[in-house]
Amino acid sequence: MSIAADSTVHPALRVAVIGAGYWGPNLARNFAMSTDWDLVAICDMDAVRAEELSRKTGNPAVVTSVDELLARHDVDAVAIATPARTHHAIALQAIAAGKHVVVEKPLADTTERGRQMVAAAREAGTVLMADHTYCYTPAVLKIRELIEAGELGEILYVDSVRINLGLVQPDVDVFWDLAPHDLSILDFILPGGLQPLAVSAQGADPLRSGKSCVGYLALPLANGALAHVHVNWLSPTKIRQMVIGGSKKTLVWDDLNPQQRLSIFDRGVDLGRQEQVLEDAASRKGAAVSYRLGDTWSPALSEFEPLGLMVSSFAEAIRSKQPAPTDGSSALRVLAVLEAASESLAAGGAKVPVGNTTIPSENTDPTRTLEATR
């Protein structure tokens, strides 16, 4: 998918970042660097931490509560980088004040609260967007472009691995910590978004931390395809890899290989020929498998800051009054899968249907915003 440049000059929008902990500094830095935005305030209960971030990002004002922020500063939007359990209350307060909102993943801590956030933004006519940063990376944009162009054919399976020796989070398990990245990518690249028939989750807690530290998600898709996600806090090696098998070609994304992040393999089972073989040998069992042996190539990727594109897309969604590429509805689909995974885990890995997340929208083309951003 190409990203067209927008040469129109717009006045900068005013934004405040709420949360100066782990992710807030990344958001503040990119808002401060963007010509689309004027970073006017940092909000955090820890004033010392907020002041330190302010000094690094052009000295915006420092406030210690959302009430103070909304009362004292005229902002167009807020970026929420606080624990997931607080997203709902902060977002609803900001939306009620007429502010546009971008929220770090996940959208909320339950699907019901996420639905309330999406409904509130729609009713208020404000933009609600999730910071699914990976969807703005050069590799994921290229993957989506290739799938949309039909280069891979029909998607047959997806295997995603996100493992490392990571920090055991105090408030969420490994599914809620790491899987939102993979699920948001799947929602972004799959035609029609991520709409699995069910979710089956298996988890393990070797550390006896009270939460899963190793996890596996199986997501059967409507066309007979299967998506599988492996997340792990305990691996001594770091792997960020996704394999997408299509009826024509197979794509391998290795995010830790800067020299060749994407590889396209024109080899695998020849499905067209295989169907003919099976027809010719309908009366025989164990018919020979037909393989296709072709070239491997690596597409060229642009280089840019994904968060920079995210904040620009947020601004474009506000100005154009169009859904953001990772809007509230897409974030809600990811949230519904996470919640179903938790239910499956509690039920010993049983298949759990994903709840209906459809909220009627006046616009059905959220990709328009991304096309006009760079």
Side-chain angles (χ1 to χ4, degrees), residues 152-167:
L152 306 185
E154 183 182 7
I155 303 303
L156 306 177
Y157 67 88
V158 181
D159 276 321
S160 188
V161 180
R162 186 173 300 274
I163 66 176
N164 57 271
L165 193 60
L167 177 66

Side-chain angles (χ1 to χ4, degrees), residues 14-18 31 38-43 69 75 77-80:
R14 294 166 59 84
V15 66
V17 172
I18 303 174
F31 278 119
D38 179 12
L39 177 62
V40 300
I42 303 292
C43 177
L69 169 66
V75 297
V78 300
I80 301 173

Side-chain angles (χ1 to χ4, degrees), residues 110-352:
T110 70
T111 302
E112 178 56 32
R113 288 175 179 164
R115 286 180 66 90
Q116 291 174 11
M117 292 161 64
V118 173
R122 188 156 297 168
E123 178 68 20
T126 61
V127 170
L128 174 64
M129 176 176 172
D131 174 19
H132 289 157
T133 310
Y134 272 97
C135 297
Y136 299 90
T137 60
V140 174
L141 290 169
K142 176 58 72 171
I143 292 171
R144 177 171 172 149
E145 178 185 316
L146 291 168
I147 291 175
E148 285 184 337
E151 288 290 330
L152 306 185
E154 183 182 7
I155 303 303
L156 306 177
Y157 67 88
V158 181
D159 276 321
S160 188
V161 180
R162 186 173 300 274
I163 66 176
N164 57 271
L165 193 60
L167 177 66
V168 176
Q169 300 295 325
D171 56 344
V172 295
D173 63 17
V174 72
F175 293 106
W176 283 78
D177 181 37
L178 297 183
H181 296 302
D182 306 270
L183 297 175
S184 65
I185 292 166
L186 291 176
D187 185 73
F188 191 71
I189 65 175
L190 292 176
L194 179 60
Q195 300 186 50
L197 302 177
V199 178
S200 178
Q202 295 283 346
D205 180 20
L207 300 182
R208 299 189 179 182
S209 63
K211 58 181 72 70
S212 293
C213 299
V214 180
Y216 299 85
L217 286 178
L219 309 169
L221 305 178
N223 65 344
L226 178 67
H228 186 266
V229 178
H230 173 200
V231 286
N232 188 342
W233 281 331
L234 308 180
S235 170
T237 59
K238 184 175 183 178
I239 300 175
R240 298 284 186 269
Q241 190 173 83
M242 184 177 285
V243 180
I244 304 172
S247 57
K248 294 181 180 179
K249 297 181 178 68
T250 296
L251 181 147
V252 177
W253 172 30
D254 184 352
D255 196 43
L256 301 184
N257 183 355
Q259 283 74 40
Q260 190 168 328
R261 294 191 191 278
L262 297 184
S263 300
I264 313 297
F265 294 84
D266 185 16
R267 61 188 184 191
V269 174
D270 190 330
L271 296 181
R273 185 177 177 189
Q274 183 67 15
E275 289 178 0
Q276 184 62 49
V277 168
L278 292 176
E279 289 176 4
D280 294 343
S283 61
R284 292 183 292 145
K285 293 183 179 180
V289 176
S290 297
Y291 293 97
R292 181 183 69 257
L293 301 176
D295 295 331
T296 301
W297 60 282
S298 180
L301 298 177
S302 304
E303 291 296 332
F304 52 82
E305 170 70 53
L307 266 180
L309 179 56
M310 189 281 293
V311 302
S312 294
S313 296
F314 185 33
E316 179 60 24
I318 293 169
R319 290 167 176 151
S320 67
K321 302 185 186 303
Q322 298 289 332
T326 53
D327 65 359
S329 295
S330 65
L332 193 57
R333 289 192 293 270
V334 171
L335 186 58
V337 172
L338 290 171
E339 197 165 72
S342 293
E343 293 181 28
S344 174
L345 198 63
K351 286 186 177 180
V352 173

